[in-house]
Each structure stands twice: as structure tokens, then as C-alpha cells.
Amino acid sequence: MFENFPLFPESASTLSGQVDALYAFLIAISVFFSLLIAGLIVYFAVKYRRGAKVDRSYSDHGSMALELTWTIIPLIIALGIFVWGAVIYFEQRRPPTMATDIYVVGKQWMWKIQHSSGRREINEMHIPVGTPIRLTMGSEDVIHSFFIPAFRVKYDVVPGYSRTMWFQATRTGTYHLFCAEYCGTRHAGMGGWITVMEPGEYQRWLSGSSGLSVVASGEKLFQELGCVTCHKQDASGRGPSLYGVYGTKVKLQSGDTVVADDNYIRESILNPQAKIVSGHQAIMPTYQGLISEEGLLQIIAYIKTLHAPNANTGTVPVQSTSLDTGKSHEVTTKQP
Ligand code: CUA
């Protein structure tokens, strides 16, 4: 729509056309009413200028029809803008279920990227075209903001929280990546490039690395940090079992319930005393300072893959991340 209009950045995601259309509508509405009001000001200034022979008598006759018109039409326009914006917002905030996961950590002053396969990069992100990409993001220090103008997506990365955003590129090419939140001296340099490739080319690019996948790194940390000694698959450990816990409602000692999402798991690792699971003791030490932001994202990614044992078959479905595709798919393995 705005390809040859340099006021707008390139348009390269499934969302950018929608955002541009709303933006164009807002501009059109503003221009229309600005011209209307300015035009009337000039017209009346000329018509009723000093010395002009016009009727200046005051007559108090209200018009219900006129008042209703200029109340109801703006109301419809304003509500229309609200609904339109909300529809785009909800689409932007809800990643499709089958999305390729990429992990992002912001720190002063760089973006550290890790693909599910384990491949890492800094201030650069390679992605396949036409594929939904879900970013799981964290910050090591202060608030940063991950901003890709060509995709019309921007989301703050806040220390202490896991945040997700998603997009789907529609065209290959390279696009600017910015940090859009002032974060210190070299904030302006905290940017880079998004490279959108054909899926086959992306697979070749991904396979050019060795090392552990994100989930495997999380599993390794889970063992190295000793989590596994208390959080067993069954209820025999001193801590609650983490199998099948992700996304469920957890009953707390306080009587409250909490949904076991990324941020609940994160809090339970860094500040275990905050929410004690019903029926358990407050014996877990904090892992603050013992685990990096990247490690947290990895360990949470691993915990997400722990599904509840199937009561009928005794098998545990395991979410496995295949090294070559970076996409997750369900496989079922026999538990010993
Ligand atoms: Cu990071 Cu500005």
C-alpha cells in the first residue's frame, strides 16, 4: 500500500498491512476533520468580518436532529476505531499454536538470539519466510524493547518476566531490528538485522551448527542445578512433580490458585518462597544469581515439555525438538 511512500517502513509481515490500513484511516479521519474545521473558521471569519452586511441577530432555536447527528456519528467512528484496533491487538498478542520458537535475551547493549535447535546469534535473527515465529524474551538488566518496523511489531522486554510476541514474515530480505526503549549509553547501537530466508535455505543455515537444542540445554541445567533430586516424575520427591504442571491451575498453601505459566515458573525458581504449592514445605532455596536469563528461558522451555504420564498406557508423551527443523512435534516414548 505504501511501497513507494517513504514515510512508511517496508511492509513485510502478515500484520503490517492491517496496521497500515488502520493508520491510514486515522490519518484520513484527522485530515478530513482538520480541513472541515479550518475551512469553516476561514469561511465564518470572512463572512462575519467587521463591516460586512450580515444578519447578526441572535435567535435561540436548537436543533435536536443536528445535535444527535454530531454526537452519534463521532461515537460510531470512535467505537469503530476502538474495535478495529482491538482486533489487531488481539491477533498480535495471540501466537498460533504451531509456531517456530526462538529465544531472545536483551542486555546492555545487545540482543542475544537462540534458535530451538541451539544455534545462537547476536544482533541478527535468521527466520524462514511464511512461517509463524514465536519469540520468548527476557532481559538481563533493564527494560529494552524489541522492535521490527517492517513487521509492525514491538514489545517491551522487562527484567524479571518472560514475554512472548509473534510475527510471520511475508517477504524475504533483510529488515532493521531496533531497541525502542532508552536503556543507557549505547541504546542507539542496540540494533541489528532480521534476515528472512526461503524455508529450505533457513534449514541449511540452521544445520550449520552443532550443540544442544534449547530444550536439551534446559534438561541439562535441570540436572546440574539439582532440580531433579526434588522434582521427580511421580509425587515421591520433596518438591511437587513438574510433569504435566505447565498451563494447569496450581493450588497454593495460601488457598489461592495460580496458573503455571512462564512467569510463575520463573518466580518459583528465583523466589521459591513467594508461592508455596499446597501440601509442600518452603524448603527450596533461591536460584537467584545461579542461573542466567538464558538458562531460565531454557529450563522453562524444558519444563513445558514435561507432560503428565498417561494413566492408561504408562507412557509419557514427550515434546521433542528435532535438531534440523527447530519445530516441535509430539512423540511418545516408553518410560523406564
Ligand atoms: Cu536496549 Cu535501548
Side-chain angles (χ1 to χ4, degrees), residues 144 179 181-183 187 190:
H144 304 278
C179 175
E181 182 72 48
Y182 180 68
C183 55
H187 153 74
M190 187 172 166

Side-chain angles (χ1 to χ4, degrees), residues 271-321:
N271 184 12
Q273 313 299 328
K275 296 190 176 84
I276 304 295
V277 173
S278 163
H280 288 272
Q281 305 283 314
I283 51 171
M284 177 170 159
T286 174
Y287 284 81
Q288 188 95 48
L290 298 175
I291 183 166
S292 68
E293 186 59 37
E294 274 180 315
L296 272 171
L297 295 184
Q298 290 165 345
I299 218 163
I300 294 169
Y302 169 64
I303 289 171
K304 279 186 196 179
T305 66
L306 302 175
H307 293 283
N310 184 322
N312 300 323
T313 60
T315 58
V316 179
V318 177
Q319 190 96 359
S320 107
T321 306

Side-chain angles (χ1 to χ4, degrees), residues 213-256:
S213 72
V214 168
V215 170
S217 301
E219 185 175 13
K220 190 157 166 266
L221 274 174
F222 198 75
Q223 279 152 7
E224 283 174 358
L225 292 171
C227 317
V228 69
T229 53
C230 293
H231 297 286
K232 297 185 187 300
Q233 193 192 321
D234 51 25
S236 67
R238 290 192 296 165
S241 167
L242 300 181
Y243 280 77
V245 86
Y246 186 82
T248 61
K249 283 199 179 126
V250 176
K251 230 176 137 20
L252 302 179
Q253 220 173 47
S254 62
D256 295 341

Side-chain angles (χ1 to χ4, degrees), residues 16-151:
S16 50
Q18 296 180 51
V19 174
D20 287 354
L22 176 57
Y23 202 68
F25 179 74
L26 291 174
I27 290 175
I29 284 278
S30 307
V31 167
F32 174 76
F33 281 106
S34 302
L35 289 181
L36 179 69
I37 291 166
L40 285 175
I41 289 173
V42 171
Y43 171 73
F44 287 132
V46 172
K47 185 175 179 196
Y48 291 96
R49 71 189 183 279
R50 191 195 298 190
K53 296 233 170 346
V54 282
D55 178 12
R56 293 177 199 275
S57 64
Y58 174 70
S59 60
D60 186 6
H61 52 81
S63 164
M64 187 56 110
L66 186 63
E67 296 208 13
L68 281 178
T69 308
W70 74 41
T71 305
I72 291 173
I73 291 179
L75 179 73
I76 292 172
I77 294 174
L79 282 180
I81 293 170
F82 166 72
V83 170
W84 192 351
V87 166
I88 296 178
Y89 175 80
F90 281 116
E91 187 176 337
Q92 194 176 15
R93 293 305 315 142
R94 287 205 193 116
T97 42
M98 282 309 289
T100 297
D101 281 306
I102 298 180
Y103 300 83
V104 176
V105 172
K107 62 170 280 192
Q108 288 169 318
W109 286 275
M110 65 172 78
W111 293 107
K112 297 195 283 183
I113 316 286
Q114 191 172 22
H115 296 259
S116 297
S117 70
R119 176 142 195 186
R120 294 167 189 278
E121 41 190 342
I122 285 177
N123 289 344
E124 273 193 75
M125 182 186 280
H126 289 73
I127 57 166
V129 70
T131 310
I133 307 289
R134 175 175 45 217
L135 304 184
T136 303
M137 312 189 291
S139 167
E140 265 180 35
D141 35 46
V142 299
I143 301 179
H144 304 278
S145 189
F146 196 87
F147 180 30
I148 312 169
F151 295 172

